[in-house]
Each structure stands twice: as structure tokens, then as C-alpha cells.
Amino acid sequence: MKAVAIQAFGPPEGLAVIDLPVPAPAAGHVLIANEAIGVGGSDAVIRRGTLAGYGFKEGHIPGSEVAGTVTAVGDGVDTSWIGQRVWAFTGVNGGYAEQAIAAVEEILPLPAGLSAVDAVTLGSSGIVAHFGLSHAHFTPGESVLVRGAAGGLGIMTVQLAARGGAGAVAVTTSSAERGDRLRKLGATHVLDRSGEGGGDAPSGYDVIIDIIAGADMPSFFAKLNPNGRMVAVGAVGGMPPEDFGMTMMAAFQKSMSFAAFSAATVAEPDRRAVRTEQFAAASRGELRTVVHELLPLEQAVLAHRKMDTGEVFGRIVLTP
């Protein structure tokens, strides 16, 4: 089968198409013939080598979520899964391939009316958006700022904050055109990348969901209200400065708080329940998925180039 591996960390050109034998599912796992493969910000972070200290090595096959048809099961797995169309979380590797392995507890049947492409656009981003807001103790009526709202995760956070009754949903983005598209998804105020502008935008926010991190993250503490909470759910802009907490400490009397959030800390039954509800909502048209472009698996390099240049609105999906 064809797969895409990171042959060299760094720019997208380090990705290459390779041939691999079709894997056999181990006990408790299934084999999926992929119809759609989500391209996420975490894939780009891994490809750049930012997380090399976490054990990622050259030869790594990126991709964490796929959708397709179960073709084989390992020992201990109900054979009725064979032939079912499912969404699957493959972990931190293995998705960029014609066929992928996933643990049976990490797959979910696709409801009627939800395509494989929509599933990989929503599957992971919806969960992080939901539990990221929960981690921030967001409540109806509070103001929310989504930093880096034009990607799949940001788009879902905007929609869920609006559906959750936020008093205001501000977004940072790179252009007025993107801002207009985000308004149609629930944003009430559009700011530039530094968090400025927006006319009548709130002067402070109760919750900031930060997808970017990077060198500018500390400046956003100044945009938190007293008792405000910032939650970093991504680091597509790189890691923040080592002393970023000093900015928060300098405003000690505002009682602000900061947290990082990973969906890996959420129990599997809770993830499954929320994802099931979100898939159903999307199939009814109550949640919108935004696909920037469909590209063949062999064009993974182009997909990552587009991500690196910041031109993607929504999500790129690879198709085998």
C-alpha cells in the first residue's frame, strides 16, 4: 500500500510517498480502508521536528484520524465491524496511508448523512473544542476569544461557544474575508492576529482559547478579564517563551489562570459520547464542517505547504 512518511524533519519537502505492506490488526484492533484522512496542525508540528524530543523519529507516518470501511479485525474484536464505515483515531501516527490500524475503542460508526470527509473534519477538532471550553469552565453569557480561529479547531470552537450562549465570540484571523466567513459561523467580533481592532470588541475576555501559542502568547494575558482563564489547546505557532508565566504573575491582582489542554486526558467513554452527539448534529446540519480542499494522498507535501503559508481556512483532507 501507499503511505506518506517523514523522511526528514523540517519543511514539507521532507515528506515522501513510500510503499509498505498492508498491516495486520493486532488483538483489539481493526484495519480500515481509508476514504478520507484529516490533515491537522499537530501533523505539521511533528513534521517540523518541534516535538522530536517526544520520541518522533524520521520514518514516522503522520496522521491521527481517518474514515473508511473496516476490512479486517484482530483477536477479540466482534467480526460485525467488518464492512462498517467508521471514523477512527489512529493515535499520533499511521493515518497518512491507504489503510490504517486503530484500536476498536477508538472507532465510531458514521451516521447516515455524514460523509467520511466531514467525519475527519469534525472528529478530533470537535472534541478538543468541546472539552477545551469545558476545561476553561466556560459558562453562558461569558465572552470568549479564539486565537487562531481559521483552522478546523478554531472553527469548531467558534461554533460551540456561540451555541453555548457566549455573550461575545471574538476571533483573531489574518484577513477581513476570513473574518466574514467566521461571522457566518458565530463570531461576533473580528480582530487582527495581535488581538487588536474589531471596533466595538470587548476590552477583555473571560475565556481565551489559544490554538497558536508561540512567541506572542504572553501578550494575550492583558486581554483577560479579572478571573479570566486562558487555555492553550495547540501550539501551531511553536512553543511560548519559557518565562511566559511572568506576564500573568505581573498582573497578580487580576487572579488570572492558564492551563494547557489535551484530549488525551479525557476518558474514552466521555469522548465517545460527545463525538457521537457532534456527528449526529453535523448530519442534521446543526454543526458545519469546513473543508478547504481535497487532495490525493500523494500530494501531502502540497497540503503541508498550504498549511505552512497560512492559506488554509478549515481543513485539508487527503483521499487515497
Side-chain angles (χ1 to χ4, degrees), residues 30-36 65-71 80-89 100 102-104 106-111 114-117 119-120 272 279:
V30 303
L31 177 66
I32 299 164
N34 292 336
E35 299 172 26
E65 64 179 314
V66 302
T69 301
V70 176
T71 58
S80 66
W81 279 109
I82 296 176
Q84 289 201 49
R85 295 180 67 246
V86 300
W87 172 92
F89 176 68
V104 68
E106 296 288 1
I107 67 176
L108 194 68
L110 297 186
L114 187 71
S115 70
V117 170
V120 298
R272 177 175 291 270
F279 278 5

Side-chain angles (χ1 to χ4, degrees), residues 139-151:
T139 59
E142 290 191 312
S143 55
V144 177
L145 170 61
V146 183
R147 182 176 176 233

Side-chain angles (χ1 to χ4, degrees), residues 138-144 158 160-169 186 188:
F138 163 69
T139 59
E142 290 191 312
S143 55
V144 177
V158 167
L160 294 182
R163 290 183 80 203
V169 182
T188 58

Side-chain angles (χ1 to χ4, degrees), residues 85-224:
R85 295 180 67 246
V86 300
W87 172 92
F89 176 68
T90 62
V92 294
N93 68 290
Y96 287 19
E98 292 178 324
Q99 300 189 62
I101 296 287
V104 68
E105 62 268 17
E106 296 288 1
I107 67 176
L108 194 68
L110 297 186
L114 187 71
S115 70
V117 170
D118 286 339
V120 298
T121 304
L122 171 61
S124 289
S125 61
I127 288 297
V128 176
H130 173 92
F131 287 106
L133 286 166
S134 176
H135 203 66
H137 302 287
F138 163 69
T139 59
E142 290 191 312
S143 55
V144 177
L145 170 61
V146 183
R147 182 176 176 233
L153 174 51
I155 286 169
M156 288 310 306
T157 305
V158 167
Q159 291 186 76
L160 294 182
R163 290 183 80 203
V169 182
V171 295
T172 69
T173 190
S174 60
S175 70
E177 184 271 335
R178 290 185 170 207
D180 289 341
R181 296 179 71 179
L182 288 164
R183 286 184 185 277
K184 293 177 182 177
L185 294 166
T188 58
H189 301 85
V190 177
L191 314 177
D192 63 22
R193 284 179 169 174
S194 67
E196 300 302 323
D200 60 348
S203 59
Y205 300 90
D206 301 305
V207 171
I208 296 177
I209 301 296
D210 190 348
I211 301 162
I212 305 299
D216 294 333
M217 191 186 83
S219 67
F220 281 80
F221 284 120
K223 302 184 184 302
L224 281 175

Side-chain angles (χ1 to χ4, degrees), residues 56-82:
F56 294 101
K57 298 179 180 179
E58 292 177 349
H60 176 86
I61 298 172
S64 63
E65 64 179 314
V66 302
T69 301
V70 176
T71 58
V73 300
D75 291 343
V77 179
D78 191 334
T79 56
S80 66
W81 279 109
I82 296 176

